[in-house]
Amino acid sequence: MKTCGLIECLNIIALVILCSRAAHGQLSSTFYEDSCPYIWPIVREAVAQAVEKEKRMGASLLRLHFHDCFVNGCDGSILVDDTPTFKGEKNAGPNANSVRGYEVIDIIKSRLEFACSGVVSCADIVAIAARDSVVELGGPTWPVQLGRRDSRTASLSSANTLLPSPFANLSTLISQFQAQGLSAKDMIALSGAHTIGQARCTIFRSRIYKESNIDTAFATSMQANCPSSGGDNNPSPLDVATPTFFDNNYYKNLRSLRGLLHSDQVLFNGGSADAQVATYSMDPYAFFSDFATAMVNMGNINPLTGTSGEVRKNCRKIN
Ligand code: HEM
Ligand SMILES: *[C@@H]1O[C@H](CO)[C@@H](O)[C@H](O)[C@H]1NC(C)=O
């Protein structure tokens, strides 16, 4: 095999560094420093108000970022409304009657349009709102990278295939996250988002009536609000212990077979994820630190940057 000479090698190294930056889309936490300096307090304030009004909204805003990023990158595509001639992502199976928080993004967008018109993308608003929600509910913080641009499209079919199913097994979850450039470790840490928020009966009915790797008392108590037929939309907390607090109880629940979703309990079921779940159940700071890292990684999925895409005027409509 032919190896490179010194100068040639340095050039290759420089290229590799440049390319890996380009792959991260040149996002930076100072992107709006000059163009919209009050972006941080404007988003933080609006998220605080929304969460004060309804704690669950913090969970909903976190999930909104996840469902945006997993469908062709963090590009605000989930926010686009359907029209008579265009079917977007909002009515995809994993989103319909389930994803919430669009109105909060609208409020933030209108305040930012007032402060610095035409500057801040909807995709970046969703990324900051997710972080501020986690902080508001007692979780870790992380530096949100900015500079994403908004898509001029949305994909119903990608939303239906790329978002993971609550009935998936561990190997499917690992490969779906790997397809997005996220590791199994990231996936296990990110699943800790289910320490907040709620799921509907229809999503966990088969788990609480049919599965055997479940705590009996937990199954019985969940059945009270989720009958074997009917009540499909009845909500229950994903973390039965502290539903509105961002902590490591999700992992403690898994160890005591109190995961609400099938896709939660597969992370602690005698497989390759068990050790990491055990670590997080004992060490909240290990969870917080890995969650923060994984959120930055998730926020870096395939952003539109530079002159690609657009900065939407209204998050619900392509300009
Ligand atoms: C590992 C694969 C995952 C699966 C299969 C999954 C699935 C689900 C399902 C089915 C629900 C309940 C939806 C409903 O009943 O309407 C839910 C809720 C939620 N998910 Fe996930 N999820 C996953 C990963 C994540 C990730 C990575 C995050 C964020 C980082 C996240 C954040 C949330 C939050 C916060 C809620 C509650 C939302 C609310 O109360 O409005 N999930 N998830
Ligand atoms: C996991 O689920 C996929 C898709 O349903 C299936 O093809 C695969 O065999 C399952 N793997 C295991 C280990 O059960």
Side-chain angles (χ1 to χ4, degrees), residues 179-206:
Q180 303 277 356
L182 300 177
S183 64
K185 183 179 179 182
D186 287 333
M187 187 276 288
I188 297 161
L190 287 169
S191 295
H194 290 177
T195 179
I196 51 175
Q198 302 177 13
R200 291 163 299 150
C201 170
T202 184
I203 298 292
F204 58 84
R205 179 182 286 117
S206 58

Side-chain angles (χ1 to χ4, degrees), residues 59-265:
S60 305
L61 291 169
L62 173 59
R63 185 169 185 235
L64 191 58
H65 185 40
F66 165 50
H67 281 214
D68 183 25
C69 293
F70 262 55
V71 182
N72 305 329
C74 315
D75 60 359
S77 57
I78 192 172
L79 304 173
V80 178
D81 279 344
D82 284 6
T83 72
T85 55
F86 178 78
K87 300 287 158 253
E89 295 166 22
K90 286 186 176 174
N91 286 308
N95 293 336
N97 194 19
S98 180
V99 166
R100 312 166 73 245
Y102 301 117
E103 296 78 12
V104 177
I105 301 302
D106 290 339
I107 290 170
I108 299 172
K109 178 64 173 173
S110 68
R111 291 184 190 173
L112 285 170
E113 285 300 296
F114 185 74
C116 23
S117 179
V119 168
V120 180
S121 69
C122 300
D124 279 345
I125 293 173
V126 173
I128 304 173
R131 191 272 313 266
D132 289 352
S133 291
V134 169
V135 171
E136 197 65 32
L137 296 175
T141 191
W142 58 89
V144 181
Q145 302 291 102
L146 301 172
R148 299 170 191 81
R149 295 181 44 100
D150 298 321
S151 68
R152 297 183 42 77
T153 54
S155 176
L156 174 64
S157 60
S158 299
N160 277 320
T161 53
L162 297 175
L163 291 165
S165 157
F167 310 108
N169 59 34
L170 180 59
S171 49
T172 298
L173 292 177
I174 292 174
S175 55
Q176 284 194 292
F177 277 67
Q178 261 161 8
Q180 303 277 356
L182 300 177
S183 64
K185 183 179 179 182
D186 287 333
M187 187 276 288
I188 297 161
L190 287 169
S191 295
H194 290 177
T195 179
I196 51 175
Q198 302 177 13
R200 291 163 299 150
C201 170
T202 184
I203 298 292
F204 58 84
R205 179 182 286 117
S206 58
R207 166 137 177 85
I208 62 173
Y209 285 95
K210 299 207 172 110
E211 295 188 3
S212 55
N213 61 345
I214 188 166
D215 176 82
T216 316
F218 171 69
T220 308
S221 79
M222 288 297 123
Q223 287 167 6
N225 193 36
C226 181
S228 53
S229 78
D232 281 8
N233 290 321
N234 294 358
S236 281
L238 284 155
D239 167 9
V240 67
T242 50
T244 60
F245 202 67
F246 197 103
D247 55 24
N248 67 336
N249 277 328
Y250 169 79
Y251 299 100
K252 295 187 191 174
N253 295 337
L254 296 185
R255 288 188 82 181
S256 46
L257 305 185
R258 292 189 182 108
L260 185 61
L261 310 185
H262 176 82
S263 56
D264 291 325
Q265 198 60 57

